[in-house]
Amino acid sequence: MHQVPNSSRENSWWGKLLCLSAPLLGLMMSGCLSIEGGPPRLFSVAEEADVARVRVRGWEETYYNVPPNKAVRNEIIAARMREIDSFYYSFEASLIRERQEVGLVSTIISIGLSGAVPLVSAVATKNILGAASSGLQGATKAYSDEVLFQKTVQVLATQMRARRAIVASDIVTRMRTLDVATYPLSMANSDLDEYYAAGTIAGALIEVQKTVSAEAKIAEDAKASVIDVTFVSNASTTELSTCLKKAGARSALIALLKPASSATLYRLTIDAAAEAERKDLLARAKSAGVC
């Protein structure tokens, strides 16, 4: 019986694999609208940037060669903010698109390669496909484990937008209210650098860390104020507890405290070291008709 050489069978399977891959390649090359993220711009970011550079240079020459005026300064600031916005939105779209493409394409390729392994008869070819599949799976996991995607692209984008809005509001307020002597262009350029930094991954991570640290500090302080006490039951704690049972007394007592918080009030109801504070609160509460 005539046998087909191994090389011919391998070529046949490679041909089938390429045929199976064709739709995937078409998908990757087609640039779906959902992956692209939106309609095309009237002018590209690069084209707008080229025009803006020429204009800003001309305005800066005017600003520095004649007595500086507010209108020219504001035009320069607004033009630079506009270009920072254009580059930022392009960056944001590419960030989200990159995450979508890596997840979609590498998953499909991995499934395709894993599914093709049982179809291939040659051991060497089978090993190659298996190794390629494992490599892609490992690459996807490594990429997804990056700090960008641990925080999630959506969270970072939200943080960047929020911080950019705050900085932009400060800049616009200064443009409207401050003259060139109080708010010269050089100072505005520093604010524009901050506006740019607010739209970067590093800037977003710093803001997230600051927010988390601040909230953690508040939580720890509240926890410490409640836990770090010596419990006591005496005449003043009993009187305060009785007062708390009256309608509306709790909120009224909290309003008399500094700091005015539920944690502070709770500490005064149980802490032996807070006897003087507790008696002072009771005296002021009686004067106010609370207790």
Side-chain angles (χ1 to χ4, degrees), residues 92-132:
E92 184 184 69
S94 66
L95 192 65
I96 295 173
R97 182 174 64 247
E98 183 179 4
R99 182 69 183 98
Q100 290 174 337
E101 289 175 347
V102 167
L104 173 66
V105 174
S106 52
T107 298
I108 293 176
I109 292 176
S110 177
I111 291 172
L113 289 177
S114 298
V117 170
L119 302 177
V120 183
S121 58
V123 174
T125 307
K126 202 171 182 179
N127 291 340
I128 291 171
L129 286 176

Side-chain angles (χ1 to χ4, degrees), residues 35-36 87-103 143 148-149 152-158 160 199-202 204:
I35 292 180
E36 289 298 326
F87 279 103
Y88 169 76
Y89 292 132
S90 177
F91 162 71
E92 184 184 69
S94 66
L95 192 65
I96 295 173
R97 182 174 64 247
E98 183 179 4
R99 182 69 183 98
Q100 290 174 337
E101 289 175 347
V102 167
Y143 193 76
L148 299 181
F149 304 111
T152 78
V153 170
Q154 289 81 4
V155 171
L156 291 175
T158 300
M160 287 187 286
T200 63
I201 295 298

Side-chain angles (χ1 to χ4, degrees), residues 231-272:
F231 292 87
V232 67
S233 178
N234 57 22
S236 63
T237 60
T238 301
E239 185 178 0
L240 182 56
S241 298
T242 301
C243 180
L244 279 169
K245 295 177 182 178
K246 295 182 178 181
R250 181 181 180 81
S251 58
L253 287 169
I254 290 175
L256 294 173
L257 294 171
K258 291 184 179 180
S261 69
S262 298
T264 303
L265 179 60
Y266 179 70
R267 181 175 60 83
L268 292 182
T269 63
I270 60 173
D271 189 6

Side-chain angles (χ1 to χ4, degrees), residues 152-172:
T152 78
V153 170
Q154 289 81 4
V155 171
L156 291 175
T158 300
Q159 182 63 58
M160 287 187 286
R161 286 201 173 201
R163 181 58 185 165
R164 277 166 47 80
I166 293 171
V167 178
S169 178
D170 291 341
I171 293 174
V172 172

Side-chain angles (χ1 to χ4, degrees), residues 3-61:
Q3 295 184 350
V4 180
N6 288 340
S7 59
S8 298
R9 287 199 298 269
E10 290 179 18
N11 290 338
S12 175
W13 284 116
W14 277 114
K16 292 179 181 179
L17 181 59
L18 290 175
C19 289
L20 291 172
S21 303
L24 174 60
L25 294 174
L27 174 65
M28 294 170 62
M29 299 298 293
S30 63
C32 302
L33 184 61
S34 61
I35 292 180
E36 289 298 326
R41 300 169 60 97
L42 179 61
F43 299 102
S44 69
V45 174
E47 289 172 335
E48 288 190 359
D50 289 340
V51 173
R53 287 190 189 95
V54 175
R55 289 179 179 174
V56 169
R57 289 190 184 110
W59 287 329
E60 286 184 345
E61 288 181 7

